[in-house]
Amino acid sequence: MAIYRKIHTNFWEDEKIIDEFTPEDKYFMLYLMTNPHVNQIGCYQITIRQIEFETGYNKETIIKLITRFEKTLKMIKYSESTKEILILNWHKYNWSNSPKVLSCIEKEFKTIKNKDFRYYIDTLFKQYEYSIHTQTQEKEKEKEKENNIKIFKKPTLEEVKKYCLERGNNIDAERFIDSNEAKGWMIGKNKMKDWKAAIRTWEKNQAKWNNEQNQEEKSPYRMA
């Protein structure tokens, strides 16, 4: 939980605050936005008893204020079942594009118990061009990408023979395996990812070697 809470100065210039709020409303609103339970997302758990202790108001006054803020001013929602307060205009006075804040918001979003509150916040954040799930989706895509990377498995002699026969390339399967075993199945400095692709490379190299050998044999300067 952060020690400090920033509130934009336009809070005092907001038409709704100027036209509809009493001095008591302003105090209560500032309390809702700065009390020790407030988080980065504007939706947090708090009991009537806690509000009593921290504001100095009695239970009756607090219930009247919550009812006024919810029904008349339409500034908050309060869930009796989950003991959560949702500040409807929280991001109007507290929005931040800081990656650190957004990361914190993502974590806090997962702790919200009331489904209606979760839906409201997710919809609101999309309006601010940031989905609560954006970072989670990106992480899932990265994980999916990692899972899609093929895990290299060394081929058996029979597998190499079968593949070479299918391609009719006349590559010596045993020589292919022995050569790559000696190199630790590495291609340069990197681990081999596809042995079939390596065989196709051998095909190209073999054709090149055969061509060079034929050229040498046909050369008039070739020594007997």
Side-chain angles (χ1 to χ4, degrees):
M1 189 68 65
I3 299 175
Y4 302 100
R5 290 293 173 208
K6 295 189 299 183
I7 298 177
H8 203 286
T9 56
N10 65 11
F11 169 83
W12 301 103
E13 300 170 348
D14 189 287
E15 290 184 5
K16 189 175 186 68
I17 303 294
I18 294 172
D19 295 339
E20 301 179 35
F21 274 45
T22 65
E24 188 174 51
D25 292 337
K26 292 176 183 177
Y27 166 64
F28 192 61
M29 189 65 198
L30 286 173
Y31 164 75
L32 293 178
M33 294 192 294
T34 60
N35 69 68
H37 317 282
V38 178
N39 53 24
Q40 297 282 7
I41 208 166
C43 182
Y44 54 91
Q45 278 191 300
I46 192 168
T47 65
I48 300 297
R49 180 60 181 163
Q50 286 173 310
I51 300 174
E52 279 187 80
F53 177 76
E54 291 166 356
T55 62
Y57 286 140
N58 59 38
K59 183 177 180 179
E60 184 181 355
T61 300
I62 291 168
I63 291 174
K64 284 182 180 179
L65 281 168
I66 289 176
T67 302
R68 172 172 165 76
F69 269 68
E70 190 169 9
K71 306 296 183 182
T72 305
L73 298 175
K74 301 187 185 304
M75 297 291 284
I76 67 167
K77 292 285 185 182
Y78 186 69
S79 170
E80 286 285 351
S81 59
T82 63
K83 306 301 179 185
E84 290 174 305
I85 274 187
L86 169 67
I87 303 175
L88 299 179
N89 65 342
W90 167 261
H91 303 93
K92 184 175 181 180
Y93 304 114
N94 295 276
W95 177 251
S96 172
N97 286 314
S98 164
K100 186 176 181 180
V101 172
L102 296 179
S103 177
C104 182
I105 285 171
E106 184 184 6
K107 292 178 182 178
E108 291 172 349
F109 177 79
K110 296 175 183 177
T111 67
I112 298 174
K113 297 179 181 179
N114 186 287
K115 293 181 180 179
D116 291 335
F117 291 1
R118 289 170 64 91
Y119 177 78
Y120 171 85
I121 292 173
D122 195 21
T123 303
L124 178 67
F125 271 51
K126 285 173 182 176
Q127 294 175 3
Y128 277 83
E129 300 181 347
Y130 173 79
S131 171
I132 288 292
H133 309 294
T134 297
Q135 294 184 19
T136 303
Q137 288 170 351
E138 288 176 354
K139 290 174 184 175
E140 288 176 352
K141 286 180 182 178
E142 286 298 322
K143 188 175 181 180
E144 184 178 349
K145 190 184 293 183
E146 289 176 4
N147 291 336
N148 287 333
I149 295 174
K150 294 180 179 178
I151 298 174
F152 177 73
K153 181 181 178 182
K154 290 191 294 185
T156 64
L157 179 59
E158 290 303 316
E159 286 175 327
V160 175
K161 283 182 177 180
K162 182 180 178 182
Y163 187 64
C164 290
L165 185 63
E166 289 174 358
R167 294 187 63 82
N169 54 29
N170 295 320
I171 285 177
D172 187 329
E174 287 187 16
R175 181 166 170 258
F176 174 82
I177 287 181
D178 290 343
S179 175
N180 284 291
E181 279 288 349
K183 294 184 290 186
W185 294 91
M186 302 288 288
I187 299 178
K189 295 181 179 180
N190 301 313
K191 191 73 175 177
M192 184 182 292
K193 295 180 180 179
D194 187 344
W195 62 267
K196 290 183 178 180
I199 285 179
R200 293 193 293 272
T201 299
W202 270 49
E203 287 178 23
K204 295 176 184 177
N205 290 336
Q206 181 171 263
K208 181 181 177 182
W209 296 331
N210 291 339
N211 184 55
E212 289 176 351
Q213 187 175 358
N214 290 335
Q215 292 294 327
E216 185 179 346
E217 289 177 352
K218 293 178 182 179
S219 173
Y221 304 105
R222 180 174 179 270
M223 293 181 67

